[in-house]
Amino acid sequence: MRFTAPRGTRDVLPPESELWRRIVQRAEGLFALYGYKEIVLPVMESTDLFVKGMGEGSDIVQKEMFTFEDKGGRSLTLRPEGTAGVARAFVQHNLGRSGLPVKLYYKGPMFRHEKPQAGRYRQFHQLGVELIGSPHPLADAEVITLCNDFFRVLEVPAVELLINSVGDESCRPQFVQALRSFLLKREERLCPDCKRRLEINPLRVFDCKVKECRKALEGAPRVTDHLCEACATHLRSLMDYLQNVNIKFRLEPEMVRGLDYYTRTVFEFQKVKGGPQDTLAAGGRYDNLISIYGGEPTPSTGFSIGLERVAAMLKEGAERNEEIGVFVIAIGEEARKRAFSLVKELRDRNIHADMDFMERSAKAQMKVADREGYPRVVIIGGEEIEGDYYTFRDMGESSQRIVTAEELYGLLMEG
Ligand code: HAM
């Protein structure tokens, strides 16, 4: 019997996994540079955590959660995102006790029962950042700048930043009311899901991908026209900070994001002219989430990057075998023993080295070294053992030379 990975999940194989490693390394370097520390969270949480945090009316809670009962009859859910877990951990461990803000990042798999398609998986991976404890637009500017730097450093092509404000508890209810009245007049044109959304949270109609619903939204009230003075000032100030550090963005008044916990700032980094599955990273401010979980009111902001989507953008440009390495070719059993100890010695010195494990001929070993992209090889045969030296060859040159062990280490350390 043969098995395949479950629908909507995938194996990340070399060389793509190498690309992933480089992306994660770069991201973690940047996160550290900005003062963020890693938090490692469980991949499952109480189902209620997500229902209360992301909202009953969100698509994720309605349709996309992998929920199951444990043997004690408790309802658990595989995390569809990381922010709820971070907020839960913040409250549980009183992480704000020695001062705010608390700057955390996380990485790992997330699970959503979505219809699989290009760029949309049921298990996918995020790199996320949360700045917990500041209500100031400067905090939003900081996380947006960090995310922008991520795309800049990795040279991801054709990415644009969209921002908006979804208001707060003092102005959003009026906007929601205006939107509900507007949509009620067009109710018969809405899909069954949106009819339900109209009841629970009409903002979610903006997330609908059904063409008729998109049409019904034409001329709908815009959240930016309903912002209270405090929210409008917050948004203006954020735009000011971004302009000040030369970050380009577009104000997108229809962008509301699919999670109920957002207040004020929301943003997305999208592939230029892309569809909904082309959002590479997204985030926003969530000033009430931590108090929903029983903590002191702690305004916060953050984002997460979708690793699969970023890797897909970089795939074509992926470099091959970045590290300088050496392949040790052994001819005969005695040579194999020597090669094995040489490879170990090189690795102990932090030099990337490998050898053959298949008893191949010298010629076939040379072919492997070439195929794997090794720039250098070392050859060990009877003569080398007798003379206590190595034959060294730079693949770029046709000649080879004889070297002592110390000379060899010197050559390889040079890189
Ligand atoms: P989100 O917009 O739901 O936000 O997801 C963030 C990113 O995860 C998306 O922009 C996308 O790149 C990736 N993503 C989401 N769903 C899938 C999928 N099915 N397949 C592949 N990639 C996917 C959040 O998760 C929030 N927690 C972000 C945040 C952090 N807000 C504040 N702090």
Side-chain angles (χ1 to χ4, degrees), residues 8 54 60 64 80-84 106 110-115 117 119-131 257-259 261-262 267-269 276-286 300-310:
M54 296 186 298
I60 296 182
E64 295 171 2
E81 58 110 50
T83 311
Y106 54 88
M110 307 290 159
F111 305 85
R112 296 185 192 175
H113 201 287
E114 296 196 81
K115 202 164 154 225
Q117 52 179 286
R120 183 162 286 144
Y121 302 98
R122 290 183 175 170
Q123 175 174 336
F124 59 98
H125 297 75
Q126 284 185 345
L127 286 158
V129 157
E130 313 292 349
L131 191 158
R257 310 264 304 116
L259 306 163
Y261 56 57
Y262 289 118
F267 60 91
E268 294 193 354
F269 285 83
Q277 69 280 17
D278 293 318
T279 302
L280 305 175
R285 172 165 284 287
Y286 49 98
S300 303
T301 183
F303 65 83
S304 15
I305 299 167
L307 202 44
E308 280 77 3
R309 295 183 187 180
V310 172

Side-chain angles (χ1 to χ4, degrees), residues 148-164:
N148 193 72
D149 266 358
F150 168 82
F151 290 109
R152 187 176 52 80
V153 165
L154 279 161
E155 297 179 35
V156 184
V159 180
E160 64 175 343
L161 165 62
L162 311 181
I163 68 170
N164 193 22

Side-chain angles (χ1 to χ4, degrees), residues 326 342 366 375-381 383-384 387-415:
V326 61
L342 174 64
M366 189 63 101
R376 283 124 184 235
V377 294
V378 169
I379 301 159
I380 308 174
E383 280 172 33
E384 282 82 2
D388 198 22
Y389 60 77
Y390 297 106
T391 299
F392 175 81
R393 177 156 173 189
D394 204 314
M395 297 295 255
E397 297 161 16
S398 51
S399 60
Q400 49 192 40
R401 57 185 147 141
I402 284 167
V403 293
T404 65
E406 280 316 309
E407 283 168 343
L408 178 67
Y409 302 145
L411 277 168
L412 294 172
M413 295 290 231
E414 277 168 21

Side-chain angles (χ1 to χ4, degrees), residues 7 14 16 24 33 91 96 98 114 143 146 150 175 206 209 227 241 257 267 275 286 315 325 354 377 380 383:
R7 196 166 136 73
E16 192 188 357
V24 173
L33 190 67
V91 177
S98 36
E114 296 196 81
V143 295
L146 171 51
F150 168 82
F175 169 66
F206 281 113
K209 286 139 206 153
L227 294 180
Y241 283 122
R257 310 264 304 116
F267 60 91
Y286 49 98
K315 225 174 188 168
D354 212 344
V377 294
I380 308 174
E383 280 172 33

Side-chain angles (χ1 to χ4, degrees), residues 136-297:
H136 204 279
L138 189 58
D140 303 278
E142 144 123 335
V143 295
I144 292 174
T145 305
L146 171 51
C147 198
N148 193 72
D149 266 358
F150 168 82
F151 290 109
R152 187 176 52 80
V153 165
L154 279 161
E155 297 179 35
V156 184
V159 180
E160 64 175 343
L161 165 62
L162 311 181
I163 68 170
N164 193 22
S165 172
V166 292
D168 65 5
E169 53 285 356
S170 72
C171 55
R172 194 160 23 170
Q174 283 156 286
F175 169 66
V176 169
Q177 202 39 51
L179 184 64
R180 185 177 278 128
S181 316
F182 174 88
L183 288 171
L184 273 172
K185 290 184 206 128
R186 295 149 187 249
E187 195 178 355
E188 69 292 350
R189 290 164 60 186
L190 299 178
C191 72
D193 271 348
C194 280
K195 284 192 177 122
R196 203 163 19 82
R197 289 172 175 136
L198 202 49
E199 283 293 308
I200 310 172
N201 184 356
L203 274 184
R204 297 281 76 87
V205 179
F206 281 113
D207 304 328
C208 188
K209 286 139 206 153
V210 177
K211 221 171 166 185
E212 266 306 298
C213 298
R214 303 235 47 91
K215 272 205 173 142
L217 276 169
E218 277 169 21
R222 293 172 146 205
V223 60
T224 32
D225 296 331
H226 287 77
L227 294 180
C228 61
E229 196 39 46
C231 286
T233 307
H234 197 276
L235 177 60
R236 270 199 303 275
S237 170
L238 167 62
M239 294 197 285
D240 221 36
Y241 283 122
L242 293 178
Q243 274 155 354
N244 194 42
V245 287
N246 294 321
I247 291 180
K248 292 198 172 48
F249 59 86
R250 181 151 59 82
L251 186 63
E252 181 56 65
E254 284 197 0
M255 183 175 66
V256 292
R257 310 264 304 116
L259 306 163
D260 281 3
Y261 56 57
Y262 289 118
T263 47
R264 296 189 168 167
T265 313
V266 289
F267 60 91
E268 294 193 354
F269 285 83
Q270 286 185 1
K271 191 169 155 183
V272 173
K273 297 202 183 91
Q277 69 280 17
D278 293 318
T279 302
L280 305 175
R285 172 165 284 287
Y286 49 98
D287 288 348
N288 304 322
L289 184 62
I290 288 176
S291 50
I292 290 173
Y293 293 156
E296 291 292 309

